Amino acid sequence: MIQEIKTNSNCQTCLFKQVVMQYLTNEQFELIYDKTIQLKFKKSETILKQGNKFTHLVFLDSGTVKFHLENESGKNIILSVAKSPILLGSSNLFNEEINLFSITALEDCSACMIDINIFKTMIHQNCGLAIKILELVSNLYKDSITNFLNLANKQVAGRVAGTLIYLSEKIYNSTEFTLILSRKEMSEFVCCSMENLIHTFSRFQKEGIIKIEEKKIFIHEMNKLKTINRVG
Amino acid sequence: MIQEIKTNSNCQTCLFKQVVMQYLTNEQFELIYDKTIQLKFKKSETILKQGNKFTHLVFLDSGTVKFHLENESGKNIILSVAKSPILLGSSNLFNEEINLFSITALEDCSACMIDINIFKTMIHQNCGLAIKILELVSNLYKDSITNFLNLANKQVAGRVAGTLIYLSEKIYNSTEFTLILSRKEMSEFVCCSMENLIHTFSRFQKEGIIKIEEKKIFIHEMNKLKTINRVG
DNA sequence: TTTAAAGCATGAAATATTTCATATAATAAT
DNA sequence: ATTATTATATGAAATATTTCATGCTTTAAA
């Protein structure tokens, strides 16, 4: 990762600043800003590592990331995919200061690392900011339940459909997109073997529901996908 | 459910009051108290219903509950089991005021229903309280990830082991306990068919890992259970 | 440029899981 | 007391999933 000289940064247009400034004075913001480091991450670099003590909130300014964790049997699981602009690490704020999961860049990203102690002090001084963070954590919590719902008690076809719908609606905002996840990563998202994922992709393609050209995916029949997702 | 006359209630010893009073004045607490209703729920009564607009936080004073939801294919899933004292509904506080999941009594419960609007007003006036709630939501979030980890990418035996460990360590604080969940409910917790759950119980019993006497469960070899849970 | 490695794809065998059929015991209803 | 219902249990067939073997294609390395 490359550390940028801060004078080059574009704080003027930063969404995080715009939100936070509603609750902070200029002086308070300067305190945060002094401790903030702007970094660039290359594809597949780790932004936050599961199990590490975490020292910074991360505001993802550009790029897409995956939240993932290893379970006790050593298998990797992708919890979610998120794109900028988004604040990462907020769910850890009031845990035991250990990252619950890893966050890794799926494509080149730029991010601001915000000192956690300074930020916590600000929260204590500022109800509005605390409530804003509470909103963020609540929504993360909601997303994780949605995710859980997609996986639990469904067969692989239903889960693959759910994941394709999620990517289409929440990440790419289109029924045609170029996947930045490998087949292996897709299978870690769907929680099945890579072969099963590929078989399911092939089946969906044979049935005309989707079209696959290597990394490009075209969803032709979203309705069928939604039915498959619903019935499991 | 039976509504109690408030003069009979035991607010003097209530944990919720003890915590909240650290952040509120007597006058503020009285405001909340005036709008609070104390209820008793019988086993299997619904405390909060998935999809309903939610109007009250619920402080569970006694009893044990399950968090559960129906997925799109109509299957019931138990997200978690929780026992008193615990504040229910806090994760909904800053969502769209819709219950994300249902909460149902697993045994007779008593609970205080706290008006959400009054409580929100208090949060806005009080950073300490906001941060306390933030802690609660963060921990709920952490629990749901732990739960997810137990289920994802593991075979049924590993998941059954994980659920037994959870019940033993987090709910009953003993290796011997009388299950308040039916076999059907256990299978909804583990996310498998009821038959598969029963098969797995039988297998564990044959291998001497646990002993089952109808509703009573004796965990004889916790280490083996943990190994099975870890390797999946 | 050639070779090695990684990613993707397919089919078949091995394994896991669900569904179905059936039975028994415990509980509820008549 | 008798009957019906519910909860629990077991085994076998049907289905789903993983694992394995293999091949092709693309990318990275020598």
Side-chain angles (χ1 to χ4, degrees):
Chain A
M1 52 200 155
I2 299 156
Q3 187 168 341
E4 287 249 315
I5 300 150
K6 240 183 292 183
T7 47
N8 288 346
S9 68
N10 57 339
C11 293
Q12 287 76 16
T13 61
C14 170
L15 199 77
F16 177 67
K17 183 183 175 186
Q18 284 172 38
V19 169
V20 160
M21 281 308 280
Q22 295 172 19
Y23 306 105
L24 299 181
T25 64
N26 275 315
E27 289 73 33
Q28 286 176 321
F29 183 77
E30 281 299 320
L31 263 168
I32 292 179
Y33 182 73
D34 279 346
K35 289 277 189 176
T36 295
I37 302 159
Q38 192 175 31
L39 296 178
K40 287 192 181 298
F41 294 93
K42 288 221 166 297
K43 182 183 159 93
S44 88
E45 277 190 309
T46 303
I47 297 172
L48 293 177
K49 174 73 179 169
Q50 177 182 357
N52 269 7
K53 195 161 185 306
F54 94 117
T55 51
H56 294 83
L57 276 172
V58 180
F59 179 74
L60 188 69
D61 190 48
S62 73
T64 308
V65 299
K66 62 176 177 180
F67 301 174
H68 59 111
L69 39 80
E70 287 199 4
N71 75 359
E72 298 94 331
S73 56
K75 280 176 187 160
N76 199 35
I77 301 166
I78 294 181
L79 292 170
S80 191
V81 169
K83 65 173 178 181
S84 64
I86 189 173
L87 188 67
L88 307 173
S90 56
S91 63
N92 289 325
L93 259 176
F94 291 92
N95 271 302
E96 298 124 33
E97 314 207 341
I98 297 282
N99 294 319
L100 295 175
F101 44 80
S102 294
I103 298 181
T104 298
L106 285 171
E107 56 188 357
D108 293 357
C109 291
S110 72
C112 288
M113 315 297 280
I114 301 152
D115 185 276
I116 188 70
N117 290 319
I118 302 273
F119 197 74
K120 270 195 173 178
T121 310
M122 298 298 160
I123 286 178
H124 279 273
Q125 291 168 3
N126 205 307
C127 277
L129 188 57
I131 286 165
K132 191 76 202 170
I133 299 295
L134 200 42
E135 273 177 39
L136 288 177
V137 177
S138 292
N139 280 321
L140 268 182
Y141 186 68
K142 188 186 162 199
D143 282 353
S144 82
I145 287 186
T146 307
N147 227 312
F148 185 83
L149 207 54
N150 182 46
L151 289 179
N153 246 327
K154 267 185 200 165
Q155 301 193 170
V156 167
R159 306 207 298 266
V160 171
T163 301
L164 288 174
I165 294 165
Y166 174 80
L167 291 173
S168 166
E169 292 183 349
K170 297 294 165 64
I171 303 297
Y172 296 105
N173 303 315
S174 167
T175 54
E176 304 183 4
F177 48 85
T178 302
L179 212 54
I180 51 176
L181 296 160
S182 69
R183 298 293 190 272
K184 184 96 197 79
E185 284 175 319
M186 278 297 290
S187 75
E188 288 169 352
F189 202 175
V190 170
C191 284
C192 68
S193 67
M194 187 182 70
E195 292 88 339
N196 200 345
L197 176 97
I198 293 172
H199 285 152
T200 307
F201 267 13
S202 300
R203 187 198 123 192
F204 284 177
Q205 184 160 227
K206 270 176 205 146
E207 292 174 7
I209 298 166
I210 61 173
K211 185 156 182 291
I212 303 172
E213 287 173 3
E214 276 149 46
K215 288 288 190 184
K216 286 208 186 87
I217 297 203
F218 306 84
I219 298 178
H220 287 157
E221 306 198 63
M222 181 58 96
N223 286 342
K224 278 197 186 170
L225 224 43
K226 290 199 171 173
T227 304
I228 292 170
N229 179 240
R230 201 171 44 248
V231 301
Chain B
M1 52 198 154
I2 299 156
Q3 187 170 340
E4 288 248 313
I5 301 150
K6 240 182 292 183
T7 46
N8 288 347
S9 68
N10 57 341
C11 292
Q12 287 75 17
T13 61
C14 171
L15 198 76
F16 177 67
K17 184 183 174 187
Q18 283 172 38
V19 169
V20 159
M21 281 307 280
Q22 295 173 19
Y23 306 104
L24 299 181
T25 63
N26 275 315
E27 289 73 33
Q28 286 176 321
F29 183 77
E30 281 300 321
L31 263 168
I32 292 180
Y33 182 73
D34 279 346
K35 290 276 189 174
T36 295
I37 303 157
Q38 193 174 30
L39 296 178
K40 288 192 181 298
F41 294 92
K42 287 221 168 297
K43 183 184 157 92
S44 86
E45 276 189 311
T46 302
I47 297 172
L48 294 177
K49 174 74 179 170
Q50 176 183 357
N52 268 9
K53 195 161 184 306
F54 94 117
T55 51
H56 293 83
L57 276 173
V58 180
F59 179 73
L60 188 69
D61 191 48
S62 73
T64 307
V65 299
K66 62 176 175 180
F67 300 173
H68 60 110
L69 39 81
E70 287 199 4
N71 74 0
E72 298 94 330
S73 56
K75 280 176 187 160
N76 200 35
I77 301 166
I78 295 182
L79 292 171
S80 192
V81 169
K83 66 174 177 179
S84 64
I86 188 173
L87 187 67
L88 307 173
S90 55
S91 64
N92 288 326
L93 258 177
F94 291 92
N95 271 303
E96 297 125 34
E97 314 206 343
I98 297 282
N99 295 319
L100 295 175
F101 44 80
S102 293
I103 298 180
T104 298
L106 285 171
E107 56 188 357
D108 294 357
C109 292
S110 74
C112 288
M113 315 296 281
I114 301 154
D115 185 276
I116 188 69
N117 290 319
I118 301 276
F119 197 75
K120 270 196 175 178
T121 310
M122 297 300 161
I123 284 178
H124 279 274
Q125 291 166 4
N126 205 307
C127 277
L129 188 57
I131 287 165
K132 191 78 202 167
I133 299 296
L134 199 43
E135 274 176 38
L136 289 176
V137 176
S138 292
N139 280 320
L140 268 181
Y141 185 68
K142 189 185 158 195
D143 282 353
S144 82
I145 287 186
T146 306
N147 227 312
F148 185 84
L149 206 54
N150 182 47
L151 289 179
N153 245 327
K154 267 185 201 165
Q155 302 193 170
V156 166
R159 306 207 299 265
V160 171
T163 301
L164 287 173
I165 294 165
Y166 173 81
L167 291 172
S168 166
E169 293 184 349
K170 296 293 166 65
I171 303 297
Y172 296 105
N173 303 315
S174 167
T175 54
E176 303 184 5
F177 48 87
T178 301
L179 212 54
I180 51 177
L181 296 160
S182 69
R183 297 293 190 272
K184 183 96 197 78
E185 284 174 319
M186 277 297 289
S187 74
E188 289 169 351
F189 202 174
V190 170
C191 284
C192 68
S193 68
M194 187 183 70
E195 292 88 338
N196 200 345
L197 177 98
I198 293 171
H199 286 153
T200 307
F201 268 13
S202 301
R203 188 198 122 190
F204 284 177
Q205 185 161 226
K206 272 176 204 146
E207 294 174 6
I209 298 167
I210 61 173
K211 186 157 182 291
I212 304 172
E213 286 175 4
E214 275 150 47
K215 288 289 192 185
K216 286 207 185 86
I217 297 203
F218 306 84
I219 297 178
H220 287 158
E221 307 197 62
M222 182 57 95
N223 286 342
K224 277 196 187 172
L225 223 44
K226 290 200 171 174
T227 303
I228 292 170
N229 178 241
R230 201 170 43 248
V231 300

